[in-house]
Amino acid sequence: MIKRALNVTREADFAAWYQTVITEADMAEESGVRGCMVIRPWGYGIWERIQRLLDDRIKATGHENCYFPLFIPLSYFEKEAEHVDGFAKEMAVVTHHRLVQKDGKLVPDPEAKLEEPLVVRPTSETVIGAAFSRWVQSWRDLPVLINQWANVVRWEMRTRMFLRTAEFLWQEGHTAHATVEEAREETMKMLEVYRSFAEDCLAMPVVAGEKPENERFPGAVATYSIEAMMQDGKALQAGTSHFLGTTFSSAQNIKFQNAEGQQELAQTTSWGVSTRMIGGLIMVHGDDDGLRVPPRVAPWQIVIVPMLRDVPEDQAITDYCKALQADLAKLSALGEPVRALLDLKPAKAATKRWGWVKKGAPIIVEVGGRDVAGGNVSVVRRDRLYREDGKLDSAVIARTDFVNDAAQMLESIQTTLHEQARERMDANITRGITEFAELEQAFEGEKPGWAEVNWAKPTGADLDQVVQRLKALKLTFRNVPSDASPAQGACIFTGAPAVERILVARAY
Amino acid sequence: MIKRALNVTREADFAAWYQTVITEADMAEESGVRGCMVIRPWGYGIWERIQRLLDDRIKATGHENCYFPLFIPLSYFEKEAEHVDGFAKEMAVVTHHRLVQKDGKLVPDPEAKLEEPLVVRPTSETVIGAAFSRWVQSWRDLPVLINQWANVVRWEMRTRMFLRTAEFLWQEGHTAHATVEEAREETMKMLEVYRSFAEDCLAMPVVAGEKPENERFPGAVATYSIEAMMQDGKALQAGTSHFLGTTFSSAQNIKFQNAEGQQELAQTTSWGVSTRMIGGLIMVHGDDDGLRVPPRVAPWQIVIVPMLRDVPEDQAITDYCKALQADLAKLSALGEPVRALLDLKPAKAATKRWGWVKKGAPIIVEVGGRDVAGGNVSVVRRDRLYREDGKLDSAVIARTDFVNDAAQMLESIQTTLHEQARERMDANITRGITEFAELEQAFEGEKPGWAEVNWAKPTGADLDQVVQRLKALKLTFRNVPSDASPAQGACIFTGAPAVERILVARAY
């Protein structure tokens, strides 16, 4: 049996394994502040890569970045009842603007109470809507296409690093349009940006589709999501895109004069992804040795570990590694310059190697005296860590061959991770279910995956009833996949003729 | 007399001119939330350029980015008295985590009061210090070199866009070291990063030096700053770097075992620049036609304005402009690909031209039917907007010549802005003052600039007295320039032998 780098396997305890990866890969840690985490350099480095690649795509689709206030006056929320109902229970509220010493303790100064309390933004539709109402007067001012990268706060009672934290980082796009058609087109365009970003950059297969009524964003006319399958079979909602109709334009008075000279309400959208994606990345690509980061989002794609022994020969090894790093940095892979790190920290080579295995650096290159003498390098690929005999698969390769092959190797790792995840997802979506009893059966096992079933799209109280029946099985609706086959036969919940196919799953 | 693009000049009312530039250049606006602004695309685009260029330099000096919580428990502040004294008066305090409806109004839910109030970070020494105390055990863990890009909140009573807002964006670097020497070296290294960044990227000449005791960051052993001269002669502190000694390591218990096996407190530093720099950029480079953005930080360096007239010939103009944009995008200037925008918004060409003049795009290229026919472009350089006869200096240039020269033109504009600002600063620092009465005289005029004077570096109550005398003249100490000539003669404040030279100025 192979001795693994982590002390817990996915099989034995998936939740414990997840926490262990986060700790052992130096991704994040508890901060001491309730519900908030510290994102450490390796975790934040992945977020920076996500930001860079996604921001390029957001800009390429015509959006500009702005920045709106962290604080939102209570009165802004009062204007939109459904929206506030959705968020009021989890809002951090600022009530004072000064501290004073009292009995040797710091307390909020009663003399410095705010006239109107401020909410720390849980999302920015209201405050951005107020700006849009200033910016939009005529059809010529439309569309308004903006995005912001920001922190938001939702006071969650049960938190879990990356997946559900009181404060998290995200981007939120907000747009205003003259027509329903244009706003709906925007909603779908950004859903597609998220879908292709998840697949191409995160190597994370997802299903894009529309959320049912009960899962809509508070205030939305329609909500779409991308859903990814974790290795325990659960679903993770990894991004959402909302068509908001005139909900916020009527609350915030976003009106324009159309070409015919009449006043109309603008049609708005919003869409976002967050640091939650990193939680998904871990649960899609991690293995029992830690994380495996797809090369496109790896802060360092190739890490060079010199095997130093505090002897005079060390200098030759270090020089050899520096030259190697310089040569690798000249390469291009996956459309960008290769990111190669020379790890010169004061620690043993074996400790460093396993540190990088746990962090999931795509390629680890070890260089010892023998490699230097032979003009070689010892290469470990994170996507194929062990040989069939269970030994670490460290291949001695001529240095020139490695430099020639490195870009292609990174591309191959990106593809391999994507294909592995795609095969797993495809193999774990059950499609043949025709009755509710079959659905119950399908979710009896340990890692049941998802089920795609025919349904009649009930609404209101009928839908609530179905949702409750699913809840009893710890199941939820995920979305109606955009590319699902047409519905056929009867709805497995109501028996009525089915109108579409919907995904059912346990979820994070 | 030239008719200017703005309706107020720097000469007539500098403060009104500043606000007008911000509005007319679409940089930012009031948000409706007290003390908070909305940063609009052109303003935020400049911030993104600052982030990109400065982040590269921060990483090149070995620092990694992290993210720490927005909220800091009160108890963290109680540990460091001097620090809390510095910030307690301007802290936003979160006291509740839920809202409820009461008498038809949303209010903080009394049932959801936090046991320990949370402060919205005004700066992160305390919460980052707590993380460092977990990360640092041995000398091998040092140095810790991290940085974060974040929003912070200081509840200022009088706010001014970019210069002083309740919420602002910044980067804050925090490091821990084994020795005083190393920590001091880090402090000076980052001061130099800021100095060279301001000069090279913002084209903003600055004076780097140490702040006197009364201007130190709360808890610092030594504070250094870069100071820039605005066009009204006032100083703007544009960045600071602090040597914190063991102030925070003793409060937060950042201890390590040294190579000899003994426990020691780490020596820490912190350093930051903020969106305030954008305020400085405006007041250094703006003119009576709006902003002038140095090419290195301009979101768009070249803006192409097609002169369309809703006629069939428009298509040929648009095609010509698209080809030009593509050719310009292939160029490199100032170490990066050229950023060229084709402005196709539905507005009149003249409106667009003046819009870009006010925004300060470095080069504006207009293309009309005659230009297309002749294979030309009409080029306006923002650093030389008018000819001697007062007419707009729009030069008809062969398209190929322009493409050949564009990179060099951008470099020339970067240099010109820098030189103009440098000359102005150098011309406005008075150095010959030997008595306090002369200082009073020097600051009687309208735009007095700065004075560099000999002083004896008094401390404690003696220093307070001097500070009060300056305050009566609305003056403050800025810093002791690192490159000042040696002190000579007597201190102009106390008559004691001078030990160094210090800058005195009015300041933002």
Side-chain angles (χ1 to χ4, degrees):
Chain A
M1 197 176 132
I2 303 173
K3 166 118 176 52
R4 299 291 181 167
L6 305 182
N7 61 13
V8 56
T9 63
R10 289 161 291 175
E11 197 62 36
D13 185 341
F14 196 77
W17 168 83
Y18 176 74
Q19 290 296 340
T20 303
V21 172
I22 288 172
T23 304
E24 293 292 316
D26 286 341
M27 304 278 288
E29 66 186 18
E30 296 293 345
S31 66
V33 183
R34 198 200 146 287
C36 299
M37 62 179 180
V38 172
I39 309 182
R40 302 191 61 177
W42 189 246
Y44 197 79
I46 294 173
W47 181 240
E48 287 184 293
R49 293 292 310 149
I50 290 175
Q51 285 190 303
R52 182 72 65 104
L53 293 168
L54 183 56
D55 194 64
D56 286 348
R57 288 162 186 238
I58 289 171
K59 287 188 173 132
T61 43
H63 304 86
E64 292 181 304
N65 287 339
C66 292
Y67 189 76
F68 296 87
L70 172 68
F71 298 135
I72 304 180
L74 274 196
S75 56
Y76 284 41
F77 281 96
E78 281 166 351
K79 291 182 186 165
E80 218 302 292
E82 195 184 334
H83 187 62
V84 77
D85 281 355
F87 289 106
K89 292 196 187 94
E90 48 184 42
M91 278 173 172
V93 192
V94 176
T95 54
H96 294 74
H97 64 81
R98 192 164 63 221
L99 299 173
V100 282
Q101 294 280 353
K102 196 185 155 187
D103 307 331
K105 254 189 78 113
L106 275 178
V107 295
D109 185 350
E111 305 286 307
K113 202 171 166 183
L114 298 179
E115 289 204 9
E116 181 181 10
L118 297 171
V119 166
V120 182
R121 64 180 161 220
T123 181
S124 303
E125 276 76 9
T126 56
V127 71
I128 294 182
F132 280 12
S133 76
R134 296 190 296 270
W135 299 355
V136 174
Q137 312 296 332
S138 140
W139 64 271
R140 283 185 194 82
D141 302 322
L142 294 171
V144 181
L145 306 172
I146 67 101
N147 176 61
Q148 97 171 340
W149 291 91
N151 53 345
V152 285
V153 171
R154 297 178 188 175
W155 204 267
E156 305 276 0
M157 277 303 140
R158 273 184 240 160
T159 61
R160 202 163 191 186
M161 277 195 269
F162 289 113
L163 298 178
R164 200 175 293 278
T165 47
E167 181 191 10
F168 58 92
L169 306 179
W170 78 347
Q171 61 65 221
E172 47 180 323
H174 296 266
T175 68
H177 307 263
T179 66
V180 170
E181 295 65 41
E182 230 190 80
R184 283 198 176 269
E185 193 185 308
E186 166 79 10
T187 310
M188 301 314 289
K189 184 197 281 174
M190 298 319 293
L191 182 70
E192 171 57 20
V193 164
Y194 290 159
R195 191 203 62 76
S196 59
F197 172 76
E199 302 263 354
D200 300 346
C201 298
L202 302 177
M204 181 193 278
V206 292
V207 175
E210 186 176 355
K211 288 278 191 190
E213 184 185 301
N214 66 306
E215 296 274 358
R216 274 183 206 139
F217 176 77
V221 175
T223 287
Y224 300 81
S225 72
I226 52 169
E227 305 278 336
M229 187 186 282
M230 306 295 104
Q231 287 182 70
D232 61 354
K234 286 195 193 170
L236 182 84
Q237 177 178 299
T240 48
S241 183
H242 315 290
F243 169 55
L244 303 171
T246 57
T247 304
F248 292 94
S249 60
S250 59
Q252 305 292 338
N253 200 33
I254 313 172
K255 277 193 186 141
F256 67 98
Q257 194 170 48
N258 64 22
E260 289 74 45
Q262 285 148 338
Q263 290 286 312
E264 273 190 64
L265 287 171
Q267 304 286 333
T268 72
T269 83
S270 69
W271 28 273
V273 304
S274 73
T275 34
R276 192 164 215 235
M277 269 198 165
I278 298 175
L281 193 82
I282 296 169
M283 290 193 286
V284 167
H285 296 303
D287 67 15
D288 295 340
D289 293 295
L291 183 57
R292 302 186 305 167
V293 189
R296 291 196 77 169
V297 291
W300 299 111
Q301 298 169 313
I302 304 176
V303 177
I304 306 166
V305 176
M307 301 174 79
L308 307 177
R309 295 171 303 149
D310 274 325
V311 292
E313 289 75 27
D314 284 358
Q315 191 56 49
I317 296 178
T318 306
D319 292 346
Y320 187 87
C321 288
K322 280 184 180 163
L324 174 64
Q325 184 193 23
D327 283 349
L328 292 172
K330 283 178 209 144
L331 302 176
S332 236
L334 296 155
E336 290 179 286
V338 164
R339 298 180 291 281
L341 174 75
L342 171 54
D343 182 355
L344 287 172
K345 287 219 169 141
K348 286 188 183 156
T351 309
K352 288 202 255 188
R353 174 213 284 165
W354 286 104
W356 289 110
V357 165
K358 289 189 279 187
K359 282 188 162 78
I363 299 174
I364 303 163
V365 182
E366 292 174 297
V367 176
R370 201 180 298 176
D371 293 304
V372 174
N376 295 323
V377 290
S378 302
V379 176
V380 173
R381 276 177 68 147
R382 185 61 182 86
D383 63 335
R384 49 177 85 152
L385 204 52
Y386 299 101
R387 298 192 316 223
E388 282 188 14
D389 63 4
K391 293 222 171 105
L392 190 76
D393 189 355
S394 176
V396 177
I397 307 178
R399 178 197 187 287
T400 32
D401 289 346
F402 173 65
V403 172
N404 286 339
D405 294 348
Q408 200 277 320
M409 203 180 278
L410 288 170
E411 282 163 21
S412 148
I413 295 172
Q414 181 81 24
T415 306
T416 303
L417 293 182
H418 193 205
E419 280 170 1
Q420 287 177 357
R422 164 62 66 188
E423 277 167 28
R424 191 169 48 236
M425 186 169 85
D426 287 346
N428 286 288
I429 303 182
T430 306
R431 288 200 169 80
I433 291 171
T434 56
E435 288 178 31
F436 190 78
E438 283 177 72
L439 188 75
E440 285 182 279
Q441 269 171 14
F443 283 95
E444 269 170 3
E446 268 297 291
K447 278 190 275 179
W450 303 352
E452 190 190 283
V453 301
N454 292 298
W455 83 325
K457 203 177 180 178
T459 57
D462 295 340
L463 174 59
D464 287 347
Q465 222 170 38
V466 174
V467 168
Q468 288 310 317
R469 280 171 75 191
L470 287 178
K471 201 177 172 187
L473 300 172
K474 294 184 187 165
L475 293 174
T476 54
F477 285 126
R478 304 319 302 159
N479 66 26
V480 174
S482 305
D483 61 357
S485 352
Q488 50 184 35
C491 170
I492 71 156
F493 307 107
T494 64
V499 298
E500 58 192 16
R501 298 176 64 82
I502 189 164
L503 277 179
V504 174
R506 295 199 174 123
Y508 281 94
Chain B
M1 197 178 133
I2 303 174
K3 164 122 177 52
R4 299 291 180 166
L6 305 182
N7 60 14
V8 57
T9 64
R10 291 160 290 175
E11 197 62 36
D13 185 340
F14 196 76
W17 167 84
Y18 176 73
Q19 290 296 339
T20 303
V21 173
I22 289 173
T23 303
E24 294 292 316
D26 285 342
M27 303 279 287
E29 66 186 16
E30 297 294 344
S31 66
V33 183
R34 200 201 145 285
C36 298
M37 63 179 178
V38 172
I39 310 182
R40 302 191 61 176
W42 190 247
Y44 197 79
I46 294 173
W47 181 239
E48 286 184 292
R49 293 292 311 149
I50 291 175
Q51 285 190 303
R52 182 72 65 102
L53 293 167
L54 183 56
D55 194 64
D56 285 349
R57 288 163 186 238
I58 289 172
K59 287 188 173 131
T61 42
H63 305 86
E64 293 181 301
N65 286 339
C66 293
Y67 190 75
F68 295 87
L70 171 69
F71 298 135
I72 304 180
L74 274 195
S75 56
Y76 284 41
F77 281 96
E78 279 166 348
K79 291 181 184 164
E80 218 301 292
E82 193 183 337
H83 186 61
V84 79
D85 282 353
F87 289 105
K89 291 194 190 96
E90 49 183 43
M91 278 173 173
V93 192
V94 176
T95 54
H96 295 73
H97 63 80
R98 192 164 61 219
L99 298 175
V100 282
Q101 294 281 352
K102 199 184 155 189
D103 308 330
K105 256 190 75 112
L106 276 177
V107 295
D109 184 351
E111 303 286 304
K113 201 171 168 184
L114 298 178
E115 289 204 9
E116 181 180 10
L118 297 171
V119 166
V120 182
R121 63 181 161 220
T123 180
S124 302
E125 278 74 9
T126 56
V127 70
I128 294 183
F132 281 10
S133 76
R134 296 190 296 270
W135 299 354
V136 174
Q137 312 296 332
S138 140
W139 64 270
R140 283 185 195 83
D141 302 321
L142 293 171
V144 179
L145 305 172
I146 68 100
N147 176 59
Q148 100 172 339
W149 291 91
N151 53 345
V152 286
V153 171
R154 298 178 187 176
W155 204 267
E156 304 277 359
M157 277 304 140
R158 273 185 242 161
T159 61
R160 201 162 192 187
M161 279 197 268
F162 289 114
L163 298 177
R164 202 174 292 276
T165 48
E167 181 190 9
F168 58 93
L169 305 180
W170 78 348
Q171 62 67 220
E172 48 180 324
H174 295 267
T175 69
H177 307 262
T179 66
V180 170
E181 294 66 39
E182 231 189 80
R184 283 195 176 272
E185 194 184 308
E186 166 78 10
T187 310
M188 300 314 289
K189 183 196 285 177
M190 298 321 293
L191 182 70
E192 171 56 19
V193 164
Y194 289 158
R195 191 202 62 75
S196 60
F197 171 76
E199 303 262 354
D200 300 346
C201 298
L202 302 177
M204 181 193 279
V206 292
V207 175
E210 186 175 355
K211 289 276 190 191
E213 185 184 300
N214 66 306
E215 296 274 359
R216 273 181 208 143
F217 176 76
V221 176
T223 285
Y224 300 81
S225 71
I226 53 169
E227 305 277 337
M229 186 185 285
M230 306 297 104
Q231 288 182 67
D232 61 353
K234 286 195 193 172
L236 182 84
Q237 178 179 298
T240 48
S241 183
H242 315 290
F243 169 56
L244 303 171
T246 57
T247 304
F248 292 93
S249 60
S250 59
Q252 305 291 339
N253 200 34
I254 313 172
K255 276 193 186 144
F256 67 98
Q257 193 170 49
N258 65 21
E260 288 75 44
Q262 285 148 339
Q263 290 286 312
E264 273 190 64
L265 286 170
Q267 304 285 333
T268 71
T269 83
S270 69
W271 28 274
V273 304
S274 74
T275 34
R276 190 164 218 236
M277 269 197 165
I278 298 175
L281 193 81
I282 296 169
M283 290 192 286
V284 167
H285 297 303
D287 67 14
D288 295 339
D289 293 295
L291 183 57
R292 302 188 304 168
V293 189
R296 291 196 76 169
V297 291
W300 299 112
Q301 297 169 316
I302 304 176
V303 177
I304 305 165
V305 177
M307 302 176 78
L308 306 177
R309 295 171 304 149
D310 274 326
V311 292
E313 288 73 30
D314 284 359
Q315 189 57 48
I317 297 179
T318 306
D319 291 346
Y320 188 87
C321 288
K322 280 185 181 164
L324 174 64
Q325 184 192 24
D327 283 349
L328 293 171
K330 285 178 207 143
L331 302 176
S332 238
L334 297 155
E336 289 179 287
V338 164
R339 297 179 292 282
L341 173 76
L342 170 54
D343 182 354
L344 287 173
K345 288 219 169 141
K348 285 188 183 156
T351 310
K352 289 202 256 188
R353 174 213 282 164
W354 286 104
W356 289 110
V357 165
K358 289 189 280 187
K359 282 187 162 79
I363 299 174
I364 302 164
V365 182
E366 291 174 297
V367 176
R370 200 180 298 174
D371 294 304
V372 173
N376 296 322
V377 291
S378 300
V379 177
V380 173
R381 275 177 67 148
R382 186 60 183 85
D383 62 336
R384 48 177 87 151
L385 204 52
Y386 299 100
R387 299 193 314 224
E388 284 189 12
D389 61 7
K391 293 223 172 106
L392 190 76
D393 190 354
S394 177
V396 177
I397 307 179
R399 179 196 185 289
T400 32
D401 288 347
F402 174 65
V403 173
N404 286 339
D405 293 348
Q408 201 277 320
M409 204 181 276
L410 289 170
E411 282 163 22
S412 148
I413 296 172
Q414 182 81 25
T415 307
T416 302
L417 292 182
H418 193 204
E419 280 171 1
Q420 287 177 355
R422 164 62 65 190
E423 275 167 28
R424 190 169 51 235
M425 185 168 87
D426 287 347
N428 287 287
I429 303 181
T430 306
R431 290 201 167 78
I433 291 170
T434 55
E435 286 179 32
F436 190 80
E438 285 178 71
L439 188 72
E440 287 181 278
Q441 270 170 13
F443 283 94
E444 268 168 5
E446 268 299 291
K447 279 190 275 180
W450 304 350
E452 190 191 284
V453 301
N454 292 299
W455 84 324
K457 203 179 182 178
T459 56
D462 294 339
L463 174 59
D464 287 347
Q465 224 169 37
V466 173
V467 169
Q468 289 310 318
R469 282 171 74 190
L470 287 178
K471 202 176 170 187
L473 301 171
K474 294 183 187 166
L475 292 174
T476 55
F477 285 126
R478 305 318 302 159
N479 66 26
V480 175
S482 305
D483 61 358
S485 354
Q488 49 184 35
C491 171
I492 70 156
F493 307 106
T494 64
V499 299
E500 58 193 13
R501 298 176 66 84
I502 189 164
L503 278 179
V504 175
R506 294 198 176 125
Y508 282 94

